């Protein structure tokens, strides 16, 4: 079970990273201030996603899904590691 968990961690992590970068690219396409604000100020990227939902909504939902896959993979890997013999 831990190998499947590790695979989910890798897939979910890469997908979350890619979608996060794509949202950031959309912020920089809108303006440099949106891009810098999204990088440097907490929660500005969430405000950007809400105010530009037509451009970023699908990416945001993919990011949420990828984060869920990452979380499930982490739980599976952790539970699988508990059942491993330590000898």
């Amino acid at each position: 079970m831990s190998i499947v968990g590790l695979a989910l961690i890798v897939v979910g992590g890469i997908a979350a990273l890619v979608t996060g970068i794509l949202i950031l690219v959309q912020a920089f396409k809108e303006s440099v201030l949106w891009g810098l604000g999204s990088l440097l100020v907490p929660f500005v990227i969430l405000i950007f996603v809400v105010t530009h939902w037509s451009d970023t909504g699908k990416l945001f939902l993919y990011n949420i899904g990828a984060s869920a896959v990452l979380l499930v993979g982490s739980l599976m890997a952790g539970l699988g590691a508990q059942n491993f013999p330590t000898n």
Side-chain angles (χ1 to χ4, degrees):
M1 185 152 89
S2 62
I3 293 175
V4 174
L6 289 174
L8 289 175
I9 289 171
V10 169
V11 170
I14 290 172
L17 179 67
V18 168
T19 55
I21 289 172
L22 289 174
I23 293 171
L24 191 59
V25 166
Q26 290 293 327
F28 272 105
K29 281 184 181 178
E30 182 67 28
S31 76
V32 174
L33 289 177
W34 270 118
L36 289 175
S38 296
L39 273 175
L40 302 174
V41 181
F43 303 113
V44 169
I45 199 157
L46 292 176
I47 295 168
F48 176 78
V49 167
V50 170
T51 57
H52 297 84
W53 186 258
S54 61
D55 297 329
T56 60
K58 189 182 275 190
L59 289 171
F60 180 72
L61 293 176
Y62 286 154
N63 190 284
I64 296 294
S67 299
V69 169
L70 179 65
L71 177 66
V72 168
S74 298
L75 292 173
M76 287 178 68
L79 291 175
Q82 276 184 341
N83 296 331
F84 254 73
T86 56
N87 297 0

